[in-house]
């Protein structure tokens, strides 16, 4: 269903009944729409890469089973994106009783509040106004740290008490996010960080579908799908989540990082979108994509980094945007179009990387975050370069340097300087790097830096650095 379509033409309960509208619970609604889209072969989770055989089948079964879901995984594994995407299985619009004193979007055929039931009982259908709640407003989420009981469950409103409303009356209550999402989806990020009292409130909703505020039980049959996210290191720690709440979560879906580097590159290309074009375009050779993603892979395997915290996919994206920005700056300054990222652009990754890596403080090493990042980058360059050697041979790739060449590299040096040092490019380069290195100075400069950095990583050439400039010698 198209969420941009106009709502049905019914503005009172009589019109709604005449159209044959039937009530559904939110999970029935999701299951019916999901089943229809599954049968028609639609793309169920647009933009989700690498989960086709692992995560997505588990989500599908949870939706068909009508379960509340916990997404369990480390940071940057698309947990929030997946939760938000489940809203696409809601109807484009659902009707509700349009009355200013109703705190929730009441189902016209099955109201749960005393005022809603009274309106339906005492008024004629044509006198009960109907409005339509759009799909995009039926999803709400909250981050656990700092969340109070009143935020998501509710509280007694002192202003209503001073206005003469009895404390024992339903009207004295101010509802939190979950009751207000009646007939919608509510997502709670980082579940283990929730206060125990709030967890008890969630348990009551999952178990009894009721709301209890300050000892006043309100037997609301709250209709809401509840989603959670959590990190395994905290979720599995004793005492972080009360056992009763764990027991009531219908399905746990375990997410993971991309299993293949190509999947990570696909995510990068998807996220960057059209940002490589424009007045100052940037062309990124495949080996630079591979190095950026390999840096993330190496970080996820590093003994110096706390793997319980994880290394987010946002680490790759931030680093990729940094090398693109560095290349674009060079293109603007030197009039190179398109600009091409180089190995020297990796020197700016401190700004986009530091703070996204958490060091393993329990280890015996004494490395700083910058030293760890330098090590990870060096490993990534060596890994990717070794793959090119394995496929194309070191002799052909290094041919141009046999006579002895001294090359200065830097992120702000014009590509023409590289061309002066290297008057020709071996035909093997065009085959090896799948780029027009022999025709494009900027691409040639990027290839040259890659080969120099790769040869240095294998101890085939020497490197010296002074005043921020790097010199390679063969």
């Amino acid at each position: 269903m198209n969420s941009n379509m106009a709502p049905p033409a019914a503005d009172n309960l009589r019109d709604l009944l005449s159209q044959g509208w039937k009530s559904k619970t939110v999970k029935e609604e999701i299951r019916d729409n999901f089943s229809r889209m599954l049968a028609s072969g639609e793309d169920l989770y647009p933009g989700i890469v690498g989960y086709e055989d692992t995560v997505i089948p588990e989500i599908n079964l949870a939706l068909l089973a009508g379960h509340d879901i916990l997404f369990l995984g480390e940071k940057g594994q698309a947990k929030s994106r997946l939760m938000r995407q489940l809203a696409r299985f809601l109807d484009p619009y659902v009707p509700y009783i349009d009355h200013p004193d109703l705190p929730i979007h009441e189902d016209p055929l099955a109201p749960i509040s005393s005022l809603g039931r009274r309106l339906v009982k005492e008024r004629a259908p044509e006198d009960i106004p109907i409005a339509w709640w759009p799909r995009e407003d039926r999803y709400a989420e909250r981050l656990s740290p700092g969340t109070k009981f009143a935020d998501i469950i509710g509280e007694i409103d002192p202003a209503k008490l001073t206005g003469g409303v009895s404390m024992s009356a339903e009207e004295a209550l101010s509802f939190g996010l979950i009751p207000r999402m009646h007939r919608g989806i509510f997502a709670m990020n980082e579940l283990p960080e929730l206060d125990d009292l709030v967890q008890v409130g969630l348990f009551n909703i999952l178990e009894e579908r009721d709301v209890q505020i300050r000892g006043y039980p309100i037997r609301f049959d709250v209709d809401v799908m509840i989603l959670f996210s959590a990190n395994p290191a905290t979720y599995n720690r004793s005492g972080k989540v009360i056992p009763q709440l764990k027991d009531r979560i219908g399905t746990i879906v375990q997410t993971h990082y991309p299993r293949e580097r190509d999947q990570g590159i696909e995510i990068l290309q998807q996220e960057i979108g059209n940002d490589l074009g424009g007045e100052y375009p940037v062309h990124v050779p495949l080996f630079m994509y591979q190095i950026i993603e390999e840096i993330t892979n190496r970080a996820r395997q590093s003994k110096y980094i706390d793997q319980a915290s994880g290394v987010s996919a946002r680490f790759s994206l931030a680093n990729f945007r940094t090398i693109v920005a560095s290349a674009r700056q060079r293109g603007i300054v030197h009039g190179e179009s398109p600009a091409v990222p180089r190995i020297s652009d990796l020197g700016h990754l401190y700004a986009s990387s530091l703070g996204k890596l958490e060091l393993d403080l329990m280890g015996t090493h004494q490395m700083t975050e910058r030293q760890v990042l330098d090590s990870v980058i060096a490993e990534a360059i060596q890994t990717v370069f070794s793959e090119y050697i394995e496929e194309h041979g070191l002799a052909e790739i290094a041919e141009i340097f046999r006579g002895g060449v001294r090359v200065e590299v830097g992120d702000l040096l014009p590509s023409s300087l590289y061309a002066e040092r290297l008057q020709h490019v071996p035909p093997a380069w065009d085959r090896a790097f799948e780029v027009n290195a022999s025709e494009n100075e900027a691409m040639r400069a990027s290839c040259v830096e890659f080969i120099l950095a790769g040869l240095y990583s294998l101890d085939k050439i020497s490197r010296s650095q002074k005043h921020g400039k790097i010199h390679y010698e063969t």
Side-chain angles (χ1 to χ4, degrees), residues 113-146:
S113 68
S114 57
L115 175 58
R117 291 193 297 268
R118 190 163 63 248
L119 286 172
V120 171
K121 181 178 179 180
E122 296 175 356
R123 292 190 182 184
E126 60 270 21
D127 294 329
I128 299 176
I130 297 298
W132 294 86
W133 196 13
R135 171 193 295 153
E136 56 269 21
D137 294 339
R138 296 173 63 198
Y139 175 89
E141 64 181 54
R142 180 88 182 188
L143 190 61
S144 294

Side-chain angles (χ1 to χ4, degrees), residues 209-228:
R209 296 291 166 178
D210 69 350
V211 178
Q212 297 184 12
I213 299 175
R214 288 197 178 273
Y216 176 53
I218 310 160
R219 298 299 301 179
F220 272 0
D221 188 17
V222 178
D223 178 22
V224 61
M225 181 179 192
I226 301 183
L227 309 174
F228 304 96

Side-chain angles (χ1 to χ4, degrees), residues 374-426:
D374 287 339
S375 173
V376 164
I377 292 174
E379 290 177 8
I381 293 172
Q382 182 177 4
T383 299
V384 175
F385 186 68
S386 296
E387 292 171 4
Y388 277 83
I389 289 176
E390 184 177 345
E391 185 173 353
H392 303 286
L394 178 60
E396 281 191 306
I397 291 179
E399 177 184 347
I400 193 66
F401 300 104
R402 282 181 179 168
V405 176
R406 189 172 191 269
V407 180
E408 177 185 317
V409 303
D411 64 294
L412 284 177
L413 292 178
S415 299
S416 57
L417 290 184
Y418 294 73
E420 292 171 7
R421 294 285 184 180
L422 304 172
Q423 297 299 324
H424 69 281
V425 174

